[in-house]
Amino acid sequence: MQEQYSPRDIESTAQTEWTRNEVFKVTETPDQNTFYCLSMFPYPSGKLHMGHVRNYTIGDVISRYHRMQGRNVLQPMGWDAFGMPAENAAMNNNVAPAKWTYDNIDYMRTQLKSLGLAMDWSREFATCTPQYYRWEQWLFTRLFEKGVIYRKNGTVNWDPIDQTVLANEQVIDGRGWRSGALIEKREIPMYYFRITDYAEELLTSLDGLTGWPEQVKTMQRNWIGKSVGMEVHFPYDQASIGENGKLKVFTTRPDTLMGVTYMAVAAEHPLATIAAKGNPQLQSFIDECKRGGVAEADIATQEKKGMPTSLFVEHPLTGEKLPVWVANYVLMTYGEGAVMAVPAHDERDFHFANQYGLPIKPVVRTSAGDETPEPWQDAYGEKGELINSEEFDGLDFASALEAIGEVLSQKDLGAPRTQYRLRDWGISRQRYWGCPIPIIHCDTCGDVPVPENQLPVILPEDVVPDGNGSPLARMPEFYECSCPTCGAPAKRETDTMDTFVESSWYFARYASPHFEQGMVDPAAANYWLPVDQYIGGIEHAILHLLYARFFHKLMRDEGLLDSDEPFKNLLTQGMVIAETYYRLAENGSKVWFNPADVQVERDAKGKIVAARLASDGQPVEIGGVEKMSKSKNNGVDPQSMIDQYGADTCRLFMMFASPPDMSLEWSDTGVEGAHRFLRRVWRLAHQHVTAGPTHKLDKTRLDDDQKAVRRAIHLAIRQASQDIGQNHKFNTAIAAIMTLMNVLEKAPQASNQDRALLQEGLEAVVLLLAPITPHISHGLWHALGHEDLAVQAQWPVLDESALVQDTLQLVIQVNGKLRGHIEVEAAATRETIEAIARANENVLRFTEGLTIRKVIVVPGKLVNIVAN
RNA sequence: GCCUCGAUGGCGGAAUUGGUAGACGCGGCGGAUUCAAAAUCCGUUUCUGGUGACAGAGUGGGAGUUCGAUUCUCCCUCGAGGCACCA
């Protein structure tokens, strides 16, 4: 055994042995407990960042722990390889997205392998290969035929200068990021998944996901946004609008129907279009509403504006004429694109009505009374007894709902309805680097799905996009084709799919990644699925996780697999953050410096007070701790950390610095601390091993000090087992192992018993660390005299008898304040404990002149004496 | 704007069902070793007062429940993630 800890040698030796023995390659072995551990696969952006390292280390620790429990553990890896960055890189460097992507994959694969992950690399795939996306196209055609996919118009960000559709990310302050042009909303035809058909199941089956964080389930519930209410129709006729019809709205507060004083419709609503004819002022307002991007955050924060139309609709109960307004706060995409406004009881309507001088009619008696003077109070929104509502006066919410519903349905002007906030999923993208949508447009036959025997529709890979729309739309060799139904010349769809589609089913493909007869091999899929543990960033809490759940149900309904949900347990990791440093340039912009190039100065207490750039010694500003990013130049390159300290140190630091679901602040000195700890483990093991082999421990003949050491060993085993296996709190597991190391380093090594005890302690340390720092554990396990591989060793077993104590220390409080400690027999009765506590010197001192009112004894914990 | 989460020493963080606030690590300070340095080891380290024993305060701010609150309830402030075409 080498005297010095040398991560470079140890890590390459360990990785070579794992590869040679194919220890991480798994098969569908019957009758073995399986564990499918999946970390969200990376987008191949160029090189690994710390977020990846964190994600894959967490997954690896969990995988290796379960391996040591004897389970058949599948941990696969692949590449979410379609996406916009490849097109941007292509434009900047004049390289085809395909080549850029494949090069990145090759580089990042090498980086991942250097982390020593327990991956079955034989299952690797990239989503941009036809072998993968052909099955996505196949499913698309099936779902299209079933009607689960349909075509309708959707609104996109249109850049009028570049003549292209932009992603929300590419719209900055209402302008295109490259052209600087003011963005407009534009309607184009797109394909949609009917995810709303699954809204109810997506909602209710959340209840069964007991292994998901409550936070994520709450977010998904709110996103789906089920509301029970009523559809109400406001009739209009030839005389008032020029045609007969009904303005439909959805409301959750039909009890306030008598308080409606106006109607508000979205700018895109058909009534707005009718009203704008011959009204240039209104037309220009509608045009103004169409300016700016489609992102909800922008629409919701913009100033609330509206304009009256000359149109009126009838109140369904009273027949009263209600003015129709166009308002920018009404979303065409939610509900019916129109709302009935009840300014007395809805905050947004209240502000709007006050702004434009519209009438406000209170119809509910709330805790604020019968009137609703300015300013708005939350009480105005309460439910209560109806007032000013004619025959409905005096009714409460439930009976008003029933009574009003009854009248509406008699008049055929409304009915109860359930509404979801969730919208159908539009998947058409006017981009090149994505999975082609397998549809052929024929003048006679319409939209025809590409027949199975003509799949896949292959994306040409030698194309360099130029930022002016999709190059596919300009490639006749791609889009010219004949109709599969009638054989006439036809045009292939040139849009590609949202990249969320690929990441919605990759977890299932890993079960049979090379299967050529179908999307998945049902036997393999049912063997591994659902995923036992899924790990990824909290930023995916809604969209990706909801789409993956939806796809799983689609695949189930296609008969491809049996389970209802894809991910049994979910762990959402926090971000990796780091300090930022900058200087103000002359033009006022900030120039950011990487933490690696900055030196900090501290005051007497160690608090950081200033920072200087190492190269010129001049001060820089401290900008605060933020998510690692290119823009703030505060990223730390994982590769340089691995090169300097080794993968084990990097892994140990990341797992120790904070619990996985919290953000992790990068600290160079923390990394050094982790490295220092591994050196200490190595040194103690080296010292122990060079002193020669040990005898067997005689557990029946331990003195008190030896019992204390053995207790420390098994406390660490208990703590680490709970923390890693159940709670996923790797930081406290490591703290427990560190505490054990502190004990072992101080323990005597003279006698045979002492040395045997140290052997037991070191074996525990090595195995408890094995999931976290697998390379050093691999080396030390051999050094401690074991022939088998540490990865195949069994997780340490807790010996409860080692934890038993004869006496316990209890805390004594007087009036809740700590006043002393007492040592009592473990078996002492409540009465004995109370008597000892009452006789305690400090208790007597602090209760002098007071009367003891009560004594609370918490067994094994404390005694609180209440006196006054 | 809406939904969700978070806030504890100089710093990262720890604290079973409400029961000793600050485990473990980092940083700081003092010391040992060394010709010197690195490395390593030992001690100390929430704040305030006190030489000290000790006392008081303290978990973002404010109220409340309780013998007892970092933990439960209400209000507020600040920060983070998401908002459907970033992945």
Side-chain angles (χ1 to χ4, degrees):
Chain A
M1 175 182 184
Q2 280 197 335
E3 188 176 352
Q4 295 298 319
Y5 169 48
S6 160
R8 198 179 295 267
D9 303 338
I10 291 160
E11 294 186 358
S12 77
T13 307
Q15 288 175 15
T16 308
E17 278 197 57
W18 297 334
T19 310
R20 194 179 53 228
N21 293 307
E22 293 194 324
V23 285
F24 306 126
K25 189 167 178 177
V26 288
T27 52
E28 288 75 45
T29 318
D31 306 325
Q32 196 182 357
N33 272 336
T34 61
F35 194 88
Y36 182 2
C37 184
L38 181 65
S39 294
M40 289 180 187
F41 64 167
Y43 176 77
S45 54
K47 53 186 185 181
L48 234 47
H49 57 66
M50 282 296 175
H52 292 132
V53 176
R54 190 180 194 194
N55 197 161
Y56 303 135
T57 304
I58 294 169
D60 202 45
V61 172
I62 296 172
S63 292
R64 287 174 178 271
Y65 170 80
H66 284 281
R67 286 181 58 85
M68 293 176 79
Q69 299 286 341
R71 300 193 173 93
N72 192 22
V73 178
L74 168 60
Q75 192 183 210
M77 182 53 74
W79 308 95
D80 187 13
F82 277 135
M84 239 176 22
E87 298 196 16
N88 296 332
M91 285 186 271
N92 293 333
N93 309 324
N94 195 36
V95 58
K99 177 169 169 34
W100 182 84
T101 301
Y102 290 124
D103 286 351
N104 287 347
I105 288 174
D106 286 341
Y107 183 70
M108 289 173 74
R109 184 191 302 107
T110 311
Q111 287 194 302
L112 279 179
K113 287 192 171 175
S114 75
L115 282 171
L117 305 172
M119 298 278 173
D120 182 351
W121 283 101
S122 75
R123 294 175 186 251
E124 177 192 357
F125 58 75
T127 58
C128 61
T129 59
Q131 293 78 16
Y132 182 81
Y133 66 68
R134 67 171 296 188
W135 297 112
E136 193 166 305
Q137 294 176 335
W138 170 82
L139 185 68
F140 184 103
T141 58
R142 300 275 303 199
L143 296 173
F144 185 82
E145 277 159 2
K146 269 173 127 181
V148 177
I149 293 172
Y150 66 100
R151 191 162 80 142
K152 70 166 180 184
N153 277 354
T155 317
V156 294
N157 303 307
W158 179 253
D159 183 324
I161 290 187
D162 279 351
Q163 293 282 302
T164 191
V165 176
L166 296 184
N168 285 337
E169 186 194 53
Q170 299 170 314
V171 179
I172 296 157
D173 296 330
R175 292 174 180 273
W177 67 338
R178 298 168 72 89
S179 69
L182 282 170
I183 296 306
E184 302 161 6
K185 295 181 187 70
R186 177 174 277 208
E187 299 232 332
I188 57 167
M190 307 211 292
Y191 290 95
Y192 285 83
F193 277 86
R194 279 191 212 278
I195 190 171
T196 50
D197 279 3
Y198 285 75
E200 191 60 33
E201 195 196 340
L202 287 167
L203 186 66
T204 53
S205 54
L206 281 172
D207 297 337
L209 295 176
T210 51
W212 280 41
E214 212 49 55
Q215 169 195 7
V216 175
K217 288 190 280 185
T218 306
M219 281 193 270
Q220 292 218 350
R221 283 190 191 103
N222 291 339
W223 184 262
I224 295 168
K226 180 178 184 177
S227 44
V228 178
M230 203 166 283
E231 184 175 304
V232 185
H233 298 179
F234 292 74
Y236 53 83
D237 56 27
Q238 192 76 30
S240 58
I241 291 189
E243 59 184 53
N244 293 325
K246 291 167 179 173
L247 177 57
K248 288 183 193 171
V249 301
F250 174 80
T251 178
T252 54
R253 291 295 302 274
D255 60 314
T256 62
L257 185 54
M258 294 298 282
V260 175
T261 58
Y262 68 99
M263 305 297 290
V265 301
E268 300 87 351
H269 195 277
L271 280 194
T273 313
I274 293 172
K277 279 177 195 156
N279 184 343
Q281 229 184 328
L282 184 61
Q283 185 58 53
S284 83
F285 176 70
I286 290 172
D287 292 343
E288 187 190 325
C289 290
K290 285 183 178 168
R291 277 212 285 279
V294 297
E296 192 188 309
D298 295 334
I299 293 167
T301 48
Q302 72 193 358
E303 195 194 340
K304 307 281 173 288
K305 285 186 186 172
M307 186 171 274
T309 67
S310 51
L311 310 181
F312 289 85
V313 295
E314 279 172 30
H315 192 286
L317 301 182
T318 64
E320 185 191 352
K321 296 280 182 206
L322 297 169
V324 177
W325 282 61
V326 177
N328 67 353
Y329 70 85
V330 181
L331 301 179
M332 195 59 211
T333 45
Y334 183 70
E336 304 291 339
V339 296
M340 59 176 229
V342 186
H345 303 291
D346 178 274
E347 185 173 3
R348 225 168 25 180
D349 297 343
F350 182 85
H351 292 305
F352 193 86
N354 278 307
Q355 188 180 341
Y356 290 104
L358 289 156
I360 297 173
K361 180 187 173 194
V363 290
V364 175
R365 176 165 297 145
T366 68
S367 63
D370 289 0
E371 303 294 324
T372 59
E374 279 199 276
W376 170 262
Q377 296 174 37
D378 287 343
Y380 296 170
E382 289 170 1
K383 290 169 183 172
E385 185 186 319
L386 265 58
I387 54 173
N388 304 327
S389 299
E390 299 173 13
E391 76 259 41
F392 307 109
D393 278 353
L395 298 178
D396 64 9
F397 177 80
S399 34
L401 195 79
E402 201 177 322
I404 290 173
E406 181 69 18
V407 178
L408 287 176
S409 70
Q410 273 169 15
K411 294 185 165 189
D412 197 22
L413 289 176
R417 199 181 95 186
T418 299
Q419 171 77 30
Y420 297 92
R421 205 189 75 96
L422 182 70
R423 310 198 292 259
D424 276 342
W425 176 17
I427 55 110
S428 294
R429 298 291 180 270
Q430 300 68 47
R431 269 188 260 289
Y432 156 70
W433 190 235
C435 170
I437 291 176
I439 289 282
I440 290 167
H441 302 285
C442 171
D443 285 342
T444 30
C445 309
D447 288 5
V448 182
V450 176
E452 194 171 344
N453 61 12
Q454 291 177 29
L455 291 175
V457 177
I458 294 198
L459 182 74
E461 290 199 346
D462 53 350
V463 177
V464 182
D466 58 8
N468 296 317
S470 170
L472 295 179
R474 286 173 273 142
M475 293 173 64
E477 65 273 33
F478 176 79
Y479 63 72
E480 280 178 358
C481 61
S482 55
C483 173
T485 310
C486 68
K491 186 169 184 268
R492 191 182 295 290
E493 172 67 46
T494 57
D495 280 357
T496 53
M497 289 192 221
D498 181 0
T499 55
F500 270 125
V501 180
E502 285 87 61
S503 55
S504 293
W505 67 281
Y506 76 110
F507 53 87
R509 185 68 183 170
Y510 280 137
S512 51
H514 311 300
F515 191 61
E516 290 184 0
Q517 286 76 51
M519 196 168 185
V520 294
D521 174 356
N526 289 328
Y527 179 82
W528 292 111
L529 289 167
V531 172
D532 291 280
Q533 182 67 56
Y534 196 35
I535 305 128
I538 183 69
E539 66 273 21
H540 295 294
I542 296 176
L543 292 179
H544 162 63
L545 288 168
L546 189 67
Y547 293 148
R549 293 180 59 222
F550 170 53
F551 244 73
H552 194 87
K553 292 172 194 300
L554 292 177
M555 291 170 75
R556 174 201 64 193
D557 292 348
E558 275 297 316
L560 296 167
L561 37 82
D562 293 340
S563 40
D564 292 322
E565 284 283 336
F567 314 119
K568 204 165 150 191
N569 295 291
L570 174 69
L571 197 162
T572 50
Q573 62 160 1
M575 293 176 309
V576 182
I577 57 180
E579 192 63 81
T580 58
Y581 303 97
Y582 68 91
R583 281 181 190 158
L584 280 177
E586 278 186 18
N587 64 3
S589 68
K590 287 175 178 174
V591 181
W592 301 91
F593 298 99
N594 194 273
D597 305 325
V598 171
Q599 290 169 341
V600 296
E601 291 171 22
R602 295 169 185 276
D603 66 8
K605 286 179 177 170
K607 187 177 184 175
I608 294 172
V609 289
R612 288 171 186 281
L613 192 63
S615 57
D616 63 10
Q618 295 302 305
V620 293
E621 302 295 320
I622 300 171
V625 183
E626 295 194 49
K627 179 176 175 170
M628 279 190 182
S629 70
K630 271 186 194 160
S631 61
K632 296 286 168 67
N633 192 14
N634 63 338
V636 178
D637 184 9
Q639 201 56 51
S640 70
M641 285 294 145
I642 295 167
D643 294 345
Q644 196 176 346
Y645 298 102
D648 280 344
T649 293
C650 211
R651 295 169 58 123
L652 179 65
F653 167 72
M654 296 217 116
M655 294 302 98
F656 181 58
S658 65
D661 53 349
M662 276 170 56
S663 62
L664 181 152
E665 185 177 335
W666 188 262
S667 152
D668 286 336
T669 51
V671 176
E672 282 167 29
H675 196 243
R676 191 151 48 224
F677 174 72
L678 292 180
R679 279 207 306 265
R680 277 171 56 199
V681 175
W682 188 271
R683 195 181 334 127
L684 185 64
H686 179 260
Q687 213 178 73
H688 171 72
V689 167
T690 45
T694 54
H695 292 71
K696 193 176 185 323
L697 183 72
D698 183 353
K699 285 185 239 173
T700 59
R701 299 180 60 190
L702 296 171
D703 63 31
D704 282 354
D705 288 344
Q706 289 165 338
K707 276 184 187 166
V709 171
R710 192 145 192 279
R711 181 159 189 271
I713 294 170
H714 286 270
L715 278 177
I717 292 174
R718 183 174 70 178
Q719 185 77 36
S721 302
Q722 280 171 3
D723 288 348
I724 296 178
Q726 284 143 53
N727 303 328
H728 298 147
K729 289 251 192 179
F730 313 112
N731 56 329
T732 49
I734 294 164
I737 301 167
M738 286 175 167
T739 307
L740 171 57
M741 271 301 293
N742 290 340
V743 172
L744 293 180
E745 281 177 326
K746 289 187 178 67
Q749 300 177 30
S751 71
N752 282 340
Q753 279 284 79
D754 285 335
R755 297 204 61 241
L757 200 51
L758 184 56
Q759 175 79 18
E760 181 181 351
L762 280 169
E763 286 183 0
V765 167
V766 165
L767 292 180
L768 296 178
L769 279 175
I772 300 160
T773 57
H775 307 90
I776 191 173
S777 289
H778 174 91
L780 290 180
W781 187 243
H782 283 326
L784 287 169
H786 295 275
E787 295 290 323
D788 61 330
L789 300 180
V791 282
Q792 285 160 338
Q794 213 207 335
W795 184 254
V797 177
L798 173 64
D799 180 357
E800 293 278 358
S801 69
L803 302 180
V804 176
Q805 282 178 297
D806 301 334
T807 61
L808 296 174
Q809 200 181 51
L810 298 190
V811 162
I812 304 193
Q813 297 178 333
V814 176
N815 288 334
K817 280 190 195 294
L818 176 68
R819 294 302 180 191
H821 295 95
I822 54 169
E823 191 87 7
V824 298
E825 297 283 314
T829 62
R830 201 172 267 265
E831 290 71 25
T832 318
I833 292 168
E834 182 173 336
I836 297 171
R838 276 172 180 268
N840 182 274
E841 196 186 334
N842 271 3
V843 170
L844 295 174
R845 190 150 66 88
F846 281 93
T847 54
E848 199 180 345
L850 305 176
T851 316
I852 294 178
R853 303 285 174 197
K854 202 170 170 184
V855 178
I856 291 149
V857 179
V858 182
K861 286 277 177 195
L862 57 70
V863 181
N864 186 17
I865 293 166
V866 186
N868 60 13

